[in-house]
Amino acid sequence: MARSEVHPFHDFLQWQVWPGSYKNPPVDGNFPCPDGIALRIDKQTAIVSMGSCFAREIKKVLVQQGYNYIVEERDNPASAHASAAWERTYNSFSMRQIFAYTFDRFTPQLRWWKVPGEDRVQDPYRRIMLYDSLEEAQVDFAAHVAASRRVLKRAEVLILTLGLTEIWEDTEDDSVICLPSGPYPNNGGDMSRYRFRVSRYQENLDNLEYIYSLMAAHNPECKIVITVSPVHLWATFRKDLDVISASCNSKSTLRAVADEFVSKYDNVFYFPAFEMATIYTMLQGKSYFADGKENFHVNRKTVQFIMDHFFKYYNPQ
């Protein structure tokens, strides 16, 4: 009996074959780059970004390399992580709410948290945003909405970094708080209004679709780059799963969501920061984890490796 070949008539390109397998060259420090990437980003391109902790790393390198990274509300510490005072956005629900209050409507039943025993208020929809009074909060938020709108309308490229799928949701109107942290619960605030749950594939895809619809209406020429953060969950609120498995579930779900989202639109692109850190770096025999107590983060060498490839992908010299 004749022996058949597994793929007798298919000629794979090098980037289609696992590094170091059969006759394919081993890893050499150059992540496989598909041919014909349509997106081009140069130092004049207006770039805007938001997302989880890794989004801050993207911003730092783009600014250091002299790219046209757009920032508003520069004096607000919440802008350290993004192009406006959005703070860190760990889930797609928080992202969706930003686009809702920027271009649509976002009117949660409980808009502000009153810090127990104090006059201060906290914005539960942006990570640990504190104000000395309700009036100060309202004035600042109105200015923030205007800044958010300016940034997103100026963007030529919008980078969204997806972080995790765990959310805390208002039981009365389904709005999602950024994190169950800060002085509100620590000072005796009542968290019984909120429920914890794990969001699923379709919900996260729907959130990205909503964001896309608003950008298409208000800035149709903008290109969108989706990444999945390689920073693992530090802790999980789940009672049925360990933190390592919960982290894997979050990243796997969001990676599948990103793939579906990118496949639907010509102006949406996926950048494999997650794969560069968690797979390719390990194939090189290196660790991508930061040292010390924050070993769930990504170390500086890996961040630089990822961003070097970002420029290789989108601004080849």
Side-chain angles (χ1 to χ4, degrees), residues 165-202:
T165 56
E166 296 189 3
I167 62 173
W168 284 84
E169 189 174 61
D170 192 314
T171 56
E172 297 188 29
D173 67 3
D174 297 334
S175 57
V176 173
I177 61 177
C178 184
L179 278 178
S181 65
Y184 179 78
N186 289 349
N187 289 5
D190 183 11
M191 284 292 291
S192 63
R193 180 184 177 111
Y194 302 93
R195 60 174 168 250
F196 166 76
R197 69 181 181 86
V198 179
S199 63
R200 300 301 178 184
Y201 170 91
Q202 191 60 52

Side-chain angles (χ1 to χ4, degrees), residues 234 287-300:
W234 167 67
S287 173
Y288 67 93
F289 293 109
D291 293 328
K293 66 180 181 180
E294 293 198 348
N295 64 359
F296 57 96
H297 276 285
V298 178
N299 61 41
R300 300 306 311 166

